[in-house]
Amino acid sequence: MPPQPKRPSAGRGKGRIAAVPPGGDSAFRETLSSRLGKDIKPPTRKRPVQQMDVSVRYTYRAPHDMYGRSGYSVVSNDFLADVLAVLIAQHGMSPIQSAVLLWCIGRQREGWLRTTHKKIADKLGVERSNVTRAIGRLEHWHMIQRVDNGLIFVNPMLGFEGNGDVQREILDGLRDRETGKLPEDVFPALNAPPPPRSVQLELGSEDGDDGVVDEEGQAC
């Protein structure tokens, strides 16, 4: 049985890493000074260091200014440009399928989201049965995975809300211990749908079929 992604533990969220320990800048400077003082060897008479002054300068990055209260997720540029955009444009992925996928990516936290088919349908304004079929196809393409009733896991190689350490931790738990690869029936190798026939012919993947005519009587 292939490994399953680990479910999120209670209380796991943002803010686990503190840049400055409790006590503020002065405590940080004092700790740093004492450590450096113990390691420095005086050049003469082997007298201990009496005093050391440390200047600390922090570099802050401006936070992302994104729409809504949920922040943002990191999404694969190659997936957006080379897979999703092409599938939508060429009708390899239906509007319902693409909408469900985007909604799941936007609502996942560290890959996970708890929801129901009805809730997704209500949010998107579509029939519940359409959402159920769309989720089935997205699972077949290894873009999402239903782990339990009301619990969905989004492929962390496609979109992920969380830092890179957490993402690697999740991927490492899914990898085969011997080969180091992700099993296809868990997460990809992306099992994306094949391109439509017109694209296959354009790319020359089927030699000798240039004369094929589509249902409307026009050459593909």
Side-chain angles (χ1 to χ4, degrees), residues 1-194:
M1 182 177 179
Q4 293 288 328
K6 294 181 180 179
R7 300 191 183 192
S9 58
R12 189 174 190 177
K14 299 179 181 178
R16 293 186 298 275
I17 300 176
V20 180
D25 293 359
S26 60
F28 180 69
R29 286 195 297 269
E30 183 179 351
T31 301
L32 183 60
S33 299
S34 61
R35 289 181 179 176
L36 289 176
K38 292 179 181 179
D39 293 336
I40 290 180
K41 296 181 179 180
T44 59
R45 299 184 181 180
K46 296 184 179 180
R47 293 181 178 178
V49 176
Q50 298 296 321
Q51 178 179 348
M52 175 174 291
D53 296 325
V54 177
S55 176
V56 179
R57 183 176 62 182
Y58 300 100
T59 301
Y60 294 99
R61 294 181 178 178
H64 291 84
D65 189 6
M66 307 299 289
Y67 168 78
R69 300 175 58 186
S70 299
Y72 68 100
S73 298
V74 176
V75 183
S76 164
N77 285 345
D78 287 345
F79 171 68
L80 291 177
D82 299 337
V83 178
L84 185 59
V86 175
L87 291 177
I88 295 173
Q90 298 294 337
H91 305 288
M93 177 183 283
S94 72
I96 295 295
Q97 292 163 358
S98 57
V100 170
L101 174 63
L102 292 175
W103 192 88
C104 289
I105 290 177
R107 286 289 175 256
Q108 54 81 26
R109 294 295 175 266
E110 296 185 357
W112 295 92
L113 71 149
R114 186 170 290 281
T115 187
T116 63
H117 296 188
K118 183 180 185 303
K119 180 178 179 180
I120 298 176
D122 291 343
K123 291 291 186 179
L124 299 180
V126 298
E127 295 292 333
R128 180 185 181 279
S129 58
N130 291 337
V131 171
T132 299
R133 286 193 293 268
I135 289 178
R137 293 303 294 170
L138 294 172
E139 275 196 299
H140 175 72
W141 295 334
H142 301 311
M143 296 179 183
I144 66 175
Q145 179 179 330
R146 284 176 290 192
V147 178
D148 203 348
N149 289 335
L151 190 61
I152 295 176
F153 189 61
V154 176
N155 185 338
M157 299 286 285
L158 306 183
F160 191 78
E161 191 277 342
N163 63 46
D165 291 337
V166 176
Q167 184 204 33
R168 288 181 179 275
E169 178 184 337
I170 291 175
L171 291 175
D172 288 343
L174 296 173
R175 295 185 191 279
D176 183 271
R177 297 303 178 186
E178 295 182 359
T179 65
K181 296 181 179 180
L182 292 168
E184 290 187 2
D185 54 351
V186 177
F187 279 126
L190 178 65
N191 183 22

